[in-house]
């Protein structure tokens, strides 16, 4: 491992502050660009669908760059580098049903969170209005949710935070849970928080076992693609509503799928890769 091309950096509170500073710097850069554009062309880009996609990309790239220059290169002498190697086809057959099972479980649990009342009602209305704005252009939504978000978010939450914690000596399951909780918190609403934490645990498990970010990115993109298609064609993100079946059936299907393929992936076949 000493000669590995992948730097063995660690993640601490300082690294978290650096990531946050990078996000802020990226957001400020985009804001300054928008002000400049308004001054020259008299147009506010915030009303353009593609501008949201650009803003997210610049902010995430800035955060990754900050962590690379101020943490990784200074502590390891190497630049930030990740393993994106594909795995054998059999592994794909195990992890996608595993992910689908957790998606069903997450949907059932999320459905139990109130959407009415003095607090949840107003928050849910605000969240719905925000989602409607983001889905005005299906093409932009698909590019943002299915391509950009999985790439940048998996690099940060699994590639930097989870891996950095494990490099520090944190037990893998604790690192997976911590990265998943932070992943849920940044979604900034209780309905996406639950799903992000549960699905983040699956993504973290797959990354820990395969040592490659490719599979978590593909699984993340698959989840977001399903959610995007449901939003476009059914106006909500519910498999139960889409297939016209009760929520408890979705839960049972999810538990069966997740349990079976978790056993096959983790226990029976003991799929595990090394990062060289």
């Amino acid at each position: 491992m000493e000669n590995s091309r992948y730097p063995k950096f660690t993640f601490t509170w300082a690294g978290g502050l650096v990531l946050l500073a990078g996000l802020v710097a990226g957001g400020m850069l985009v804001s300054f660009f928008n002000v400049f554009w308004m001054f020259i062309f008299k147009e506010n880009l915030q009303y353009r669908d593609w501008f949201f996609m650009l803003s997210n990309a610049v902010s995430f790239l800035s955060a990754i760059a900050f962590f690379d220059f101020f943490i990784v290169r200074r502590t390891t002498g190497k630049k930030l580098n990740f393993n994106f190697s594909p795995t054998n086809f059999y592994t794909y057959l195990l992890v996608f049903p595993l992910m689908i099972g957790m998606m069903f479980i997450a949907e059932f649990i999320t459905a139990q969170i109130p959407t009415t009342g003095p607090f949840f009602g107003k928050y849910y209305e605000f969240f719905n209005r925000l989602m409607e704005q983001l889905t005005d252009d299906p093409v932009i939504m698909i590019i943002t949710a299915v391509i950009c978000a999985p790439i940048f978010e998996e690099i940060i939450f699994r590639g930097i935070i989870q891996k950095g914690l494990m490099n520090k000596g944190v037990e893998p399951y604790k690192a997976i849970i911590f990265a998943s909780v932070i992943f849920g918190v940044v979604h900034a609403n209780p309905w996406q928080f639950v799903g992000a934490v549960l699905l983040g645990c699956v993504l973290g498990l797959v990354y820990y076992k395969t040592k490659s970010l490719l599979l978590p990115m593909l699984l993340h993109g698959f989840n977001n693609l399903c959610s995007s298609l449901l939003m476009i064609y059914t106006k909500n993100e519910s498999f139960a509503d889409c297939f016209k079946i009760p929520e408890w059936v979705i839960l049972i299907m999810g538990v069966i799928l997740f349990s079976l393929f978790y056993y096959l992936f983790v226990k029976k076949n003991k799929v595990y890769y090394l990062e060289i």
Side-chain angles (χ1 to χ4, degrees):
M1 289 297 294
E2 293 298 326
N3 296 322
S4 172
R5 64 182 182 274
Y6 305 111
K8 195 170 182 179
F9 59 87
T10 60
F11 184 80
T12 63
W13 63 269
L17 291 177
V18 168
L19 280 177
L20 181 60
L23 283 171
V24 172
M28 291 177 62
L29 179 63
V30 172
S31 296
F32 287 145
F33 176 76
N34 186 38
V35 171
F36 170 78
W37 190 273
M38 289 174 62
F39 180 77
I40 300 297
F41 299 103
K42 311 301 181 183
E43 178 188 15
N44 188 347
L45 294 177
Q46 289 183 338
Y47 298 109
R48 292 295 191 97
D49 294 327
W50 57 265
F51 189 73
F52 175 78
M53 178 179 66
L54 176 65
S55 301
N56 276 286
V58 171
S59 296
F60 280 128
L61 283 171
S62 177
I64 296 168
F66 267 50
F67 192 84
D68 179 26
F69 284 104
F70 295 112
I71 300 295
V72 178
R73 300 194 186 205
R74 293 194 175 195
T75 59
T76 69
K78 299 179 180 180
K79 65 179 181 179
L80 196 60
N81 191 19
F82 298 104
N83 180 10
F84 298 102
S85 302
T87 58
N88 65 70
F89 184 69
Y90 182 64
T91 301
Y92 291 82
L93 296 180
L94 296 178
V95 297
F96 273 88
L98 178 73
M99 187 68 171
I100 293 172
M102 185 57 85
M103 288 165 60
F104 289 170
I105 294 172
E107 174 178 316
F108 177 84
I109 297 177
T110 301
Q112 311 312 308
I113 302 175
T115 57
T116 58
F119 172 74
F120 285 103
K122 293 181 179 180
Y123 197 5
Y124 189 69
E125 289 177 6
F126 171 78
F127 172 64
N128 274 342
R129 287 197 299 269
L130 179 62
M131 293 303 297
E132 287 174 359
Q133 290 178 346
L134 298 182
T135 57
D136 282 344
D137 188 331
V139 175
I140 295 296
M141 183 180 71
I142 293 293
I143 294 174
T144 302
V146 181
I147 299 176
C148 296
I151 292 174
F152 296 132
E153 291 178 4
E154 290 311 302
I155 287 176
I156 291 177
F157 293 102
R158 255 57 65 179
I160 291 178
I161 297 178
Q162 179 180 316
K163 183 180 180 181
L165 289 172
M166 290 193 295
N167 286 343
K168 190 182 176 184
V170 175
E171 292 184 59
Y173 81 92
K174 291 182 180 180
I176 291 171
I177 293 174
F178 181 83
S180 299
V181 170
I182 299 300
F183 180 51
V185 169
V186 300
H187 283 78
N189 69 81
W191 301 277
Q192 289 186 325
F193 170 82
V194 173
V197 172
L198 293 177
L199 297 173
C201 286
V202 173
L203 297 172
L205 172 66
V206 171
Y207 179 51
Y208 167 63
K209 301 292 280 186
T210 65
K211 299 297 183 293
S212 172
L213 277 176
L214 177 62
L215 257 69
M217 287 178 176
L218 292 176
L219 291 171
H220 193 154
F222 172 72
N223 171 74
N224 289 3
L225 176 62
C226 291
S227 297
S228 298
L229 293 177
L230 288 172
M231 286 290 295
I232 292 172
Y233 294 108
T234 68
K235 304 306 179 183
N236 60 49
E237 298 181 62
S238 172
F239 287 103
D241 288 348
C242 179
F243 297 130
K244 309 300 180 184
I245 56 178
E247 291 176 352
W248 62 267
V249 175
I250 286 290
L251 175 63
I252 292 175
M253 292 169 58
V255 170
I256 292 173
L257 277 173
F258 179 79
S259 301
L260 173 61
F261 285 94
Y262 178 85
Y263 171 75
L264 294 175
F265 181 59
V266 177
K267 302 294 184 181
K268 185 176 182 3
N269 295 281
K270 299 186 183 300
V271 177
Y272 189 81
Y273 294 82
L274 295 176
E275 187 173 73
I276 302 175

